[in-house]
Amino acid sequence: MLFLIELWESVRSFIATGGDVLYVVAFALLLMWVLMVERFWFLSSVYPKMRDDIVNRWNAREDTTSWYAHRIRDTWISEATELLEQRLLTIKTLVAMCPLIGLLGTVTGMIGVFEVMAQQGTGNPRLMASGISMATIPTMAGMVAALSGVFFSSRLDAKVKLAKAKLIDSLPHH
């Protein structure tokens, strides 16, 4: 319990140093990870049953060579692909937004530095330093959030492409 209290205090201190923009970065990061975990769960738990159902329905068909059969095959592949690729664009958008949200924090932090300079002059470096740290911490947080998302969203994208290719290969095209 003490560990959690210390962790919470260090997070609050980090947010206080970096500014309120870090809440937006944290929200984008949380949403990105929830969506990625859901997609990995879908690929490992739900999709295999769906794929097996499609393959079984295709193999149960007597006609797999006519034009109509190929349209049915293409429709099933298209429906599966749509479900596989669901939310991937949202995840990629969140990955791209994280550094931009961090840059928003940089801009607001620098505005704070300029306000201090306008009121106090340039003679007090400590006041300017707090504004500069408030300007750089959100950028760093946005970059770290984006980096974590880039790697896992790339893996997710590769898994989706592989799953689609395997589905196409498992439905013989006569």
Side-chain angles (χ1 to χ4, degrees):
M1 185 69 175
L2 183 62
F3 170 75
L4 291 175
I5 294 171
E6 289 175 2
L7 179 67
W8 176 247
E9 286 302 317
S10 67
V11 167
R12 285 187 52 206
S13 171
F14 182 73
I15 289 175
T17 306
D20 291 338
V21 174
L22 289 179
Y23 287 114
V24 181
V25 172
F27 176 75
L29 180 65
L30 177 69
L31 181 60
M32 177 179 67
W33 273 100
V34 165
L35 293 175
M36 284 195 291
V37 166
E38 185 275 333
R39 288 287 84 196
F40 277 113
W41 173 79
F42 177 82
L43 279 168
S44 64
S45 298
V46 176
Y47 176 72
K49 295 172 192 158
M50 189 176 83
R51 179 197 61 228
D52 293 345
D53 180 53
I54 292 170
V55 170
N56 291 337
R57 284 189 291 161
W58 179 254
N59 290 334
R61 290 184 55 84
E62 289 182 23
D63 173 28
T64 60
T65 58
S66 71
W67 182 86
Y68 292 107
H70 288 276
R71 297 297 71 80
I72 290 170
R73 177 185 181 271
D74 292 344
T75 300
W76 288 345
I77 291 170
S78 177
E79 288 171 352
T81 300
E82 187 177 327
L83 289 173
L84 282 169
E85 293 177 348
Q86 210 172 33
R87 297 182 193 85
L88 287 182
L89 185 60
T90 305
I91 291 168
K92 290 176 182 177
T93 302
L94 287 167
V95 168
M97 280 179 50
C98 282
L100 298 176
I101 297 168
L103 286 174
L104 176 66
T106 299
V107 170
T108 57
M110 290 309 294
I111 288 172
V113 170
F114 293 137
E115 285 177 357
V116 167
M117 288 172 61
Q119 292 172 357
Q120 306 289 326
T122 57
N124 193 342
R126 283 182 188 234
L127 288 175
M128 289 191 301
S130 69
I132 291 172
S133 71
M134 188 176 280
T136 56
I137 287 176
T139 303
M140 177 206 56
M143 292 296 204
V144 169
L147 284 175
S148 72
V150 164
F151 176 74
F152 287 102
S153 68
S154 298
R155 296 263 311 152
L156 192 57
D157 205 29
K159 282 182 170 279
V160 164
K161 287 178 182 169
L162 182 64
K164 180 183 174 188
K166 284 184 177 180
L167 176 64
I168 292 171
D169 291 344
S170 64
L171 300 177
H173 195 13
H174 299 288

